[in-house]
Amino acid sequence: MKSHHRVWGLLVVACLFTGVSGKARAQVKVFSGLGHDTGFTRWLGGVTLTGQIEGGIMANPARPQPGYNFGDFFADHANQVQLNQAEFTLAKAIDSTRNTYQVGFTLEGMYGSDARYYQLLGVSDREWNARYQLIPAQAHVDVHLPWATRGGLDMQAGILQAPMGVEGLDPTSRPFYTLAYTSEYSVPFQHIGAMFNWHVTPMIDVTFGIDTGNQTSFGHADNNNAPAGYFGFNLNNLAHGRLKIVELSRVGPENAWRDIGHYEADHTQRFWNDVSAYYQVNKRLSLTAEFNYLHDEGTRGMGARGQFAGVDAESFISFLSYRINRDLTFNYRGEIYRDNNNAMVSTFRGNNSYMEALAGTGGEVVPGPSASSHGTTYGEMTLGVSYRPQIGHHVRVFMLRPEIRFDRALNGTTPFNGGRNNGMFTFGGDAVIGF
């Protein structure tokens, strides 16, 4: 297994130093040029295949023991190159602007170190114990129904990536290699269920959905026996088309019965709330702000003021993106994350520890500040650039993203670098190429 990791590491290093370092995504029509012009062949003609590879490294001069960048999922192994993602997606997209019945699908398989955090209990979480794992990142049917309003209703059903938050699993959808604390600890990752987006007016969309829980499936593979669901709205085309606001809330039990018992696991709720605003100042400058509040009734412990029932976390993130020229963009992210009970932020050491903790079966964890202390307010600032030149016909997107990151506990706790420091400095970036 070590030699296997070494091969992948060499491949990523080669990408980083030969210019195939960045992110690229190409699209191929799988069933183009079919002979008979029928409705089904026209439908097949819209099926596409995409592929994408991402690898990166975040260096830590403090050389933390036992070798982890605290509070970092995708770049958790300090000073080590990782193959984060190698994925292929077969898809038939639907067009929400067309007022007709439409059926599409998305099938995405992904291999790499990021898959450790996006497994589903009962689906793929026990198939692998290495750093590089394989998951069905998406597998859903997409339907557009021209019902009720001119915009109609969109539905996705199956294995879905969670819609909440600004930063997602796909590196093309976010400005940085690393994720904010909010994106790791205060939003869900994967679901089995159904999501609906109702286009009420050109300005208003309503979102709702139901699923088995965050990263769970059915029966004994669920960590409790109750469903969860979403509700929220989008406000589009505000401020003459420059502003968009997305509000999304979620409620349902998310704790494992093995940790707190069957009744408590089924009846104590977790409330997730996220509001994001996207503002395009001009052709070069865009601003994004995200506010998140999470409350969990099921997590209990001892704090500085005695026993507490339930945990809270609040956060605010600001993003700035400035396009310097056609190929180069400067990015900034600043975050304040308050972990009120020191129950949210931690690092998972084992390759399967994150999913084991979700299932309530253990998991080797590098904890944050002691739960007996006061809560911790984390500050994080990340600066970087995205180099994205136009390569050619076969590589539509080509991107290299170096970044530097500063993390700090703002109220005296020392969670970083093996519990030695109240701050952490890391630098590095990722490389992505797609076909």
Side-chain angles (χ1 to χ4, degrees), residues 129-152:
N129 56 17
R131 187 189 305 185
Y132 298 151
Q133 301 184 8
L134 179 67
I135 60 168
Q138 297 185 77
H140 50 82
V141 175
D142 307 331
V143 178
H144 179 74
L145 304 170
W147 293 353
T149 62
R150 187 170 181 176

Side-chain angles (χ1 to χ4, degrees), residues 29 59 78 84 108 164 291 308 319 357 361 380 397 407:
K29 288 193 174 183
N84 292 90
E108 179 184 358
M164 183 178 286
F291 172 76
F308 63 83
F319 297 84
T361 57
E380 172 259 320
V397 181
D407 293 81

Side-chain angles (χ1 to χ4, degrees), residues 48-62:
T48 60
L49 177 66
T50 63
Q52 186 168 281
I53 300 173
E54 180 202 16
I57 182 174
M58 286 300 284
N60 186 333

Side-chain angles (χ1 to χ4, degrees), residues 245-273:
I245 297 174
V246 179
E247 191 284 330
L248 201 55
S249 297
R250 175 176 171 81
V251 62
E254 297 288 358
N255 290 286
W257 64 265
R258 295 179 181 87
D259 291 333
I260 62 176
H262 284 282
Y263 182 85
E264 290 289 317
D266 292 346
H267 292 86
T268 54
Q269 307 296 314
R270 181 175 299 178
F271 302 90
W272 328 57
N273 302 278

Side-chain angles (χ1 to χ4, degrees), residues 11-83:
L11 287 174
V12 175
V13 170
C15 287
L16 285 166
F17 289 99
T18 60
V20 187
S21 46
K23 177 187 74 180
R25 192 177 183 94
Q27 179 171 293
V28 176
K29 288 193 174 183
V30 179
F31 297 103
S32 60
L34 294 177
H36 300 288
D37 187 15
T38 67
F40 183 64
T41 57
R42 286 195 298 270
W43 184 86
L44 285 177
V47 175
T48 60
L49 177 66
T50 63
Q52 186 168 281
I53 300 173
E54 180 202 16
I57 182 174
M58 286 300 284
N60 186 333
R63 298 182 179 275
Q65 295 298 324
Y68 284 78
N69 291 324
F70 178 78
D72 196 339
F73 281 5
F74 290 172
D76 53 357
H77 285 68
N79 307 312
Q80 294 184 35
V81 174
Q82 294 191 130
L83 172 70

Side-chain angles (χ1 to χ4, degrees), residues 102 227 292 307:
Q102 299 171 61
N292 185 286
Q307 187 175 13

Side-chain angles (χ1 to χ4, degrees), residues 1-14 81 83 132:
M1 187 59 66
K2 289 183 179 179
S3 61
H4 174 69
H5 290 169
R6 201 173 295 127
V7 169
W8 280 113
L10 290 173
L11 287 174
V12 175
V13 170
V81 174
L83 172 70
Y132 298 151

